[in-house]
Amino acid sequence: MSSPLPAAPRFRMSKPDWLASPKVLRTEVLAGLVVALALIPEAISFSIIAGVDPRIGLFASFTMAVVISVVGGRKAMISAATGAVALVIAPLNREHGLGYLVAAVILAGVFQVILGTLGVAKLMRFVPRSVMVGFVNALAVMIFMAQVPEMHDVPWAVYPLIVGGLALMVFFPKVTKVVPAPLVSIVVLTVITVAAGIAVPTVGDKGELPSSLPVPGLPDVPFTMDTLTTVAPYALAMALVGLMESLMTAKLVDDLTDTRSNKTRESVGQGVANIVTGFFGGMGGCAMIGQTMINVKVSGARTRLSTFLAGSFLMVLCIVFGPVVSDIPMAALVAVMVMVSVGTFDWHSIQPRTLKRMPLGETVVMVATVVVVVATENLAIGVVIGSVTAMIIFAKRVAHLADVSGVVDPDGKQVVYSVTGELFFASSNDLVHRFDYKGDPGDVVIDLSRTHIWDASSVAALDAIETKYAQRGKKVTITGLNEPSADMHGRLAGRLTAGH
């Protein structure tokens, strides 16, 4: 009798994390709705910055959010049309038109896919904590500053509405957290202004909302090398700025949620989202830090569903509920963003007790990052400047740790120099002047067992020391090199000057 066939293995589809419980599902749905409401005026404003029809920005926010919810590497992070991208591509649209802008968005997506595949996300390890703190604080300042124009030269009723919205968001969570306080604030203020007939700026005043879904198509440009050379610089700039903001935002969400994201997948995902957005005629984008804070920190979202629904609700609100959405007072959204700004700022970082304990260099880096970001209105530039500043301060600090001490044998025939600290370009430049070439005996030993050779500058400095002693007929012996240092010294010693 033949043995029975083995049972076929069972493959189980893992249940989406947003189906873990009704509470999680409710949180994700309501978070997506709040973000969608807040996205509308933001996307319209960024469209104006880029010089395109408001519908272009809204379409971009829709496609970016929906696509990145599937292909992105950071759950609950919101990607949409952003001010940073708008600033980069605005000159291209102004000089060459919308077709070239759309082509640049697609090419920027291609660049991001390539950069992500090559591992650009690994560069995030070189961003110090002080830069991250400066990034967060600058973000909070920029979110608040973006609301100032909405509070300038407006009817007096705007101010009590903003105060009322803030009060609702502070005190409503003490009653219940079932419904997000920002959503309650938006609904209540909208009902008050409509019912009482209060004339204040509304979402509808920002621009016309779309009445249909975007249609895919190719950019209206000649497919020539001239077109490529025109759009490529803008596309590369957009790709770099978008990746920088997206990766920084992903790291911020990692810290807030105590989870880890796939930065390489996020980099490639941003590229895919921009390619799709370009083919749908959108203006492109990247991670939206303010909206992400609403989603993660204010609303408590943790899954991809909130990101997907943010983009989906955005189109539903515009197409189906356009007239209702148009009546939302801008004061309600300003109040939400002010609350986000206050919640985002790292108040602990500026407390006198913290500043007193923190090394001065760390504080300088944090302040420099904030100042540059606020001055340039570009988070990417601030992060680069802050990181470079941190590296310079670190190099200067480490360079001072390199030290040389010499001990002459009792018989006076040999001197042993012990070198401590790290040897690299900043510390090795001074190394040559730390030896007594004239007064030392004929046998010189340089002990490097307590140091490490990091670069060619250090090898060149050791060569110079040996040369100076040799010119006086004295012998130099280098000892104590660890394996990597010995390898570098063996490959480069005596070969760093002309003629070798």
Side-chain angles (χ1 to χ4, degrees), residues 56-71:
I56 303 298
L58 290 165
F59 288 154
S61 296
F62 162 60
T63 53
M64 287 292 298
V66 169
V67 174
I68 205 67
S69 70
V70 178
V71 301

Side-chain angles (χ1 to χ4, degrees), residues 62-277:
F62 162 60
T63 53
M64 287 292 298
V66 169
V67 174
I68 205 67
S69 70
V70 178
V71 301
R74 173 64 259 177
K75 295 178 181 179
M77 192 166 78
I78 305 296
S79 290
T82 59
V85 169
L87 288 169
V88 170
I89 59 178
L92 179 63
N93 178 65
R94 186 168 55 248
E95 295 172 15
H96 299 279
L98 180 61
Y100 281 81
L101 181 150
V102 172
V105 171
I106 296 172
L107 183 58
V110 173
F111 282 148
Q112 288 177 328
V113 170
I114 294 172
L115 290 170
T117 305
L118 292 176
V120 69
K122 294 178 181 178
L123 295 176
M124 286 302 297
R125 71 182 66 179
F126 297 107
V127 179
R129 180 188 175 278
S130 53
V131 173
M132 193 66 196
V133 173
F135 170 82
V136 170
N137 290 345
L139 159 65
V141 172
M142 288 183 67
I143 291 175
F144 181 81
M145 289 176 62
Q147 311 314 309
V148 173
E150 304 296 338
M151 296 184 278
H152 178 68
D153 195 22
V154 293
W156 67 269
V158 168
Y159 303 110
L161 286 173
I162 293 175
V163 173
L166 291 171
L168 276 170
M169 284 183 283
V170 170
F171 295 109
F172 187 80
K174 301 181 185 299
V175 178
T176 178
K177 294 184 179 179
V178 173
V179 182
L183 180 58
V184 174
S185 178
I186 292 170
V187 172
V188 170
L189 295 188
T190 302
V191 171
I192 290 174
T193 55
V194 173
I198 302 174
V200 293
T202 64
V203 170
D205 296 331
K206 287 289 184 179
E208 183 182 355
L209 301 181
S211 57
S212 62
L213 290 171
V215 178
L218 295 174
D220 184 18
V221 294
F223 293 91
T224 62
M225 185 58 67
D226 185 56
T227 300
L228 179 62
T229 55
T230 299
V231 303
Y234 294 95
L236 181 60
M238 175 184 163
L240 294 174
V241 169
L243 283 180
M244 177 73 74
E245 292 211 21
S246 299
L247 293 174
M248 289 296 291
T249 306
K251 190 173 187 300
L252 178 59
V253 177
D254 288 354
D255 295 339
L256 286 174
T257 60
D258 197 25
T259 57
R260 191 174 182 180
S261 59
N262 187 329
K263 304 297 190 304
T264 297
R265 177 176 173 179
E266 182 62 36
S267 302
V268 175
Q270 287 290 328
V272 173
N274 272 305
I275 292 172
V276 173
T277 297

Side-chain angles (χ1 to χ4, degrees), residues 285-484:
C286 61
M288 282 195 86
I289 307 166
Q291 309 302 327
T292 298
M293 290 299 101
I294 293 176
N295 197 45
V296 175
K297 195 168 186 179
V298 178
S299 301
R302 292 293 183 271
T303 77
R304 297 179 184 275
L305 181 63
S306 58
T307 306
F308 177 83
L309 290 179
S312 302
F313 282 151
L314 174 65
M315 280 293 101
V316 172
L317 289 169
C318 291
I319 296 172
V320 180
F321 301 102
V324 177
V325 172
S326 296
D327 287 335
I328 296 175
M330 285 301 300
L333 299 174
V334 168
V336 171
M337 298 309 293
V338 169
M339 184 61 73
V340 170
S341 172
V342 172
T344 301
F345 197 91
D346 186 351
W347 298 101
H348 176 74
S349 67
I350 60 172
Q351 290 179 355
R353 182 173 57 185
T354 304
L355 294 174
K356 186 176 180 180
R357 293 177 177 176
M358 192 69 64
L360 179 60
E362 302 272 329
T363 303
V364 169
V365 170
M366 187 264 286
V367 172
T369 303
V370 173
V371 170
V372 173
V373 169
V374 173
T376 62
E377 297 185 350
N378 190 314
L379 290 161
I381 294 177
V383 169
V384 171
I385 297 297
S387 298
V388 171
T389 303
M391 291 175 186
I392 292 173
I393 292 175
F394 174 76
K396 185 177 180 181
R397 184 185 303 160
V398 174
H400 286 307
L401 296 178
D403 192 28
V404 178
S405 57
V407 177
V408 180
D409 279 355
D411 59 8
K413 294 182 179 180
Q414 184 185 70
V415 59
V416 178
Y417 282 100
S418 179
V419 181
T420 59
E422 304 301 310
L423 290 183
F424 64 113
F425 63 90
S427 60
S428 60
N429 286 334
D430 185 51
L431 191 66
V432 179
H433 308 292
R434 307 292 294 276
F435 296 85
D436 185 4
Y437 302 101
K438 183 178 180 181
D440 282 341
D443 189 5
V444 179
V445 176
I446 302 178
D447 181 9
L448 300 181
S449 58
R450 298 172 64 187
T451 187
H452 185 96
I453 296 177
W454 287 104
D455 58 11
S457 297
S458 304
V459 177
L462 293 172
D463 281 353
I465 293 168
E466 291 187 77
T467 299
K468 287 180 177 294
Y469 275 117
Q471 290 172 345
R472 292 168 174 78
K474 300 176 181 180
K475 176 188 174 185
V476 175
T477 303
I478 296 177
T479 64
L481 288 170
N482 58 36
E483 187 174 343

